[in-house]
Structures are given as C-alpha cells and as structure tokens.
Amino acid sequence: MSGHFELLTVAGVARALEKSEKGVRRLIQRGKLRPIKEGRRYLIPVEEVQRYAATLPHPVHVMAALYRAWSALSVYRYQASGWAQTRRYVNAETRAVHEHFLCHAVPVYEGIVAAAKVRNYRRIEELQLDLTRLAIDYQMLHAPFKAEPVPPRERTDEASRMLPLFGDAEGGTA
C-alpha cells in the first residue's frame, strides 16, 4: 500500500451518493461518515464513502430513487388530503405540476417502492426512465415559460435633451 488515498469534498460525496450537500453534512453530524476536517471544510476519503454505501440496504442509485419516490408520494398525499380546499389558493405553476405531472407520476413512484421491496433493480431503472419521459412531457406541454425581463427604455423626456449646466455641449468646460 502506497499510503496515498483520494479525498472528496462534501460536493463530491453528494454527487457520488446522489444526495444533497446538506444531506452529506447530516451524515457527518450523525457519525455515519468520518471526515477529515481541514480548516472549515470537510474532506472524506473514498474508502469511507464506499464503507457507508456498503451499509445501505440497496445500491446508491436505488436508494436515491426510493428517496425521491417517498418524498413525492408524501407531497402528493399531503396535497391530495386537502387539495379540493386549497386548489384555488395555490399559484398556477403549483397547480400545473399537481395536475399534469404528479398525478401521472404517482403510479410510477409507487412502482419504484414496490420494486425495491423485492429488489427488482432492473424494473426500478425502467420506471426511472418513465419518470424522465413524464418530466420531459410536462416541461414541453405544460410548464409555464418564464418571460425574459424587458430592459428599461432610455428616457427621452425634456430633461434628457437639455444641454449640460457646466461646460459646452461637447463635454469641455468654458
């Protein structure tokens, strides 16, 4: 062994584990990842990330898919419980996501959870492709386009056409 080991930043670990940087910091705080602290930042050895990934009940990409599915299903169930009452108060963008994406994505998310229970990882990958297709369809057909800001026009009123008070019209002083 040469004594050389690779260190990852919190952002690098987040990419490797398909988590947010905040989620990685939470793992560090809970003692599930043991970092090396250098100044104000954490560096995590690759071996430590591999050790943590080996403790997960499913491969990293499946755990990420499951987390997204659980999150989406909880949001959907929360919205569905009071959707009839709150529908008129939410903005058009939230309403469009609920009606045109989330309602169609719920069976796919439920399929991901069911496939993970029986460790059918190929099915999870197929369902993730279906989710990607749904998201693209939503973005192409229903997502509102953001209007580009219009730059302010130059003033052309009386004050902007007046000659300068000090100096001549060419900018020099008299």
Side-chain angles (χ1 to χ4, degrees):
M1 193 157 113
S2 65
H4 172 72
F5 54 93
E6 186 178 355
L7 297 173
L8 297 173
T9 62
V10 169
V13 174
R15 279 191 301 276
L17 295 177
E18 296 186 41
K19 289 185 166 290
S20 66
E21 290 183 27
K22 186 176 181 179
V24 171
R25 286 189 189 92
R26 231 178 289 132
L27 290 173
I28 292 169
Q29 289 171 349
R30 292 178 181 162
K32 294 184 178 188
L33 283 175
R34 296 183 297 256
I36 298 169
K37 190 158 184 171
E38 183 181 279
R40 294 183 63 201
R41 67 183 192 154
Y42 291 115
L43 297 174
I44 300 102
V46 172
E47 294 79 16
E48 183 65 18
V49 176
Q50 292 168 345
R51 183 199 57 78
Y52 171 75
T55 66
L56 298 174
H58 301 288
V60 170
H61 71 282
V62 172
M63 291 302 295
L66 263 176
Y67 179 75
R68 287 189 296 270
W70 288 328
S71 297
L73 288 171
S74 66
V75 166
Y76 178 76
R77 289 179 185 129
Y78 174 75
Q79 285 181 347
S81 66
W83 186 247
Q85 293 83 18
T86 59
R87 179 183 169 163
R88 65 176 168 238
Y89 299 112
V90 298
N91 64 22
E93 192 172 335
T94 303
R95 194 169 31 250
V97 168
H98 181 83
E99 293 173 355
H100 299 293
F101 176 72
L102 201 52
C103 289
H104 301 288
V106 165
V108 180
Y109 283 125
E110 289 172 341
I112 288 173
V113 173
K117 286 180 182 176
V118 295
R119 298 186 183 278
N120 187 347
Y121 300 141
R122 181 181 301 259
R123 180 70 180 141
I124 291 172
E125 290 173 3
E126 292 168 358
L127 291 169
Q128 283 184 302
L129 284 174
D130 289 346
L131 274 177
T132 302
R133 289 184 195 108
L134 278 174
I136 291 170
D137 288 348
Y138 166 74
Q139 290 171 353
M140 290 178 66
L141 299 173
H142 304 287
F145 291 105
K146 302 285 185 206
E148 292 190 24
V150 179
R153 294 187 298 177
E154 291 186 28
R155 291 182 60 174
T156 57
D157 59 347
E158 188 72 28
S160 66
R161 290 186 293 231
M162 292 177 58
L163 293 176
L165 293 177
F166 302 102
D168 58 8
E170 286 80 33
T173 56

